[in-house]
Amino acid sequence: MAENTWAQSRKNRVPRRMTAGMWLAAWFLFTNLATIDGRKSTLTVVEDTRSAFLVEPFCFAAGGTLKFSATGLTLSGGEVRKKAKDVGFLVRKVSGSAYAAANLDEVVGRRCLLSKADDNDQVVLMSQRNTSFSLPITSKNAGLYSIVYSNCREGSAASFSLSVELMNEGGVYLSAGDIPLPLCYGVMGLLFLAAGAVWLHILLKNRPTAFKIHWLMAGLVVVKAFVLLFEAFRFQSIKRTGSGYGWSTIYYVLTFVKGLMLFSTILLIGSGWSFLKPFLNTRDKRILLVVL
């Protein structure tokens, strides 16, 4: 009788003891997402009142090319000043993407970036018809560059279309540090897929003693493998074409499914389902519903 009482009290303590683990799982889910944008794209700006914004950082190796063109510029409102550099871009070599954003936040609103550019910045003023810029990258000027838009006419709104093409040698549209990523993600995806296959094989051999949670965990490993494989396809598409839009949709859907499965698995283990009890009580169901 005493043994049964101890077992029952232990079952009742499991959900409370795993609450911290559930919150840890939530943190892991939301910090485990990665994104990357295409490096050959078109941006349409309509009535933008910002004085400056960072267009794109990109790391170039020797042999790369930085190109962009802007068309259809219109400015509405604001004070027109004679001989003023109103709207344009800065092509700036920086020491890191975080530094580029921080540097931009520091100077925006305090000065006109075009009229007080640094010595190493290249200023590209925009005209109403067509503005284009091209910078070949050599071994002397290779590194991380950022394209910064600046509007120095206070109170005005700008509209234009911007096309950007950032490319490394050999027609590679990935930043220099991201070039190995398709192979890395592909190898990791195959390893996870192999691990999932081994796991499923063990479960099939031990079907009578396997719990339902074991099958859910096996499914989580398989979904994780496909997330990595489609991430590899996405990077490969960006590498060759400059955009991974089609693969990105599949990747984000699978990432969402993986997050739900990960959260559910940890939550169910924490509640003691399948190991200590074959069903979820009302409290467990409410927690699972709120979290999902």
Side-chain angles (χ1 to χ4, degrees):
M1 182 67 179
E3 183 178 352
N4 293 335
T5 303
W6 176 84
Q8 183 66 33
S9 64
R10 184 186 177 194
K11 287 166 60 178
N12 294 335
R13 287 198 304 267
V14 169
R16 292 190 291 269
R17 191 168 57 205
M18 293 302 295
T19 302
M22 296 172 189
W23 286 110
L24 180 62
W27 173 86
F28 178 79
L29 170 66
F30 289 107
T31 57
N32 197 35
L33 303 177
T35 58
I36 186 171
D37 297 324
R39 306 307 185 187
K40 185 179 180 182
S41 57
T42 300
L43 173 67
T44 301
V45 178
V46 179
E47 297 294 322
D48 195 311
T49 58
R50 289 176 291 179
S51 60
F53 61 80
L54 181 64
V55 177
E56 186 75 56
F58 193 85
C59 185
F60 291 94
T65 305
L66 185 156
K67 296 180 181 179
F68 66 85
S69 61
T71 58
L73 172 66
T74 58
L75 284 175
S76 58
E79 180 183 355
V80 180
R81 297 173 296 172
K82 294 182 179 180
K83 297 182 180 180
K85 298 178 180 179
D86 283 335
V87 184
F89 298 92
L90 290 180
V91 179
R92 172 174 293 177
K93 188 175 181 181
V94 295
S95 57
S97 55
Y99 168 80
N103 179 255
L104 183 61
D105 292 338
E106 180 182 347
V107 298
V108 166
R110 299 182 182 181
R111 62 175 182 170
C112 175
L113 299 181
L114 299 177
S115 61
K116 297 182 180 180
D118 297 335
D119 294 336
N120 296 327
D121 293 342
Q122 300 194 48
V123 178
V124 183
L125 298 177
M126 293 178 63
S127 63
Q128 293 183 347
R129 293 184 179 180
N130 183 36
T131 302
S132 60
F133 176 81
S134 179
L135 175 66
I137 306 298
T138 65
S139 57
K140 295 183 179 180
N141 63 349
L144 180 65
Y145 284 80
S146 65
I147 303 173
V148 180
Y149 160 81
S150 178
N151 181 359
C152 295
R153 185 188 292 184
E154 294 183 5
S156 66
S159 300
F160 59 92
S161 179
L162 176 66
S163 297
V164 180
E165 183 174 342
L166 308 173
M167 181 175 60
N168 271 306
E169 186 178 15
V172 175
Y173 289 96
L174 283 178
S175 189
D178 295 335
I179 293 176
L181 288 182
L183 177 61
C184 294
Y185 278 114
V187 171
M188 290 301 298
L190 292 176
L191 290 176
F192 267 90
L193 196 60
V198 172
W199 196 329
L200 288 173
H201 176 70
I202 294 174
L203 291 179
L204 290 173
K205 288 182 63 177
N206 300 274
R207 185 187 293 267
T209 58
F211 289 102
K212 293 180 180 179
I213 194 69
H214 292 140
W215 295 98
L216 182 61
M217 294 166 70
L220 176 60
V221 173
V222 173
V223 172
K224 173 64 176 179
F226 280 104
V227 168
L228 290 170
L229 290 175
F230 279 104
E231 179 75 328
F233 295 149
R234 189 165 73 104
F235 271 96
Q236 185 66 23
S237 177
I238 295 174
K239 180 178 180 180
R240 292 306 177 192
T241 66
S243 176
Y245 178 76
W247 294 108
S248 296
T249 304
I250 304 175
Y251 166 75
Y252 289 128
V253 170
L254 287 175
T255 301
F256 175 74
V257 173
K258 184 204 71 173
L260 281 181
M261 292 183 66
L262 175 64
F263 230 142
S264 302
T265 301
I266 296 178
L267 189 61
L268 290 172
I269 292 175
S271 65
W273 176 76
S274 189
F275 289 109
L276 300 178
K277 51 188 176 183
F279 60 89
L280 295 176
N281 57 37
T282 304
R283 178 176 177 273
D284 295 334
K285 291 179 180 179
R286 288 176 179 174
I287 293 176
L288 186 63
L289 180 63
V290 170
V291 171
L292 295 182

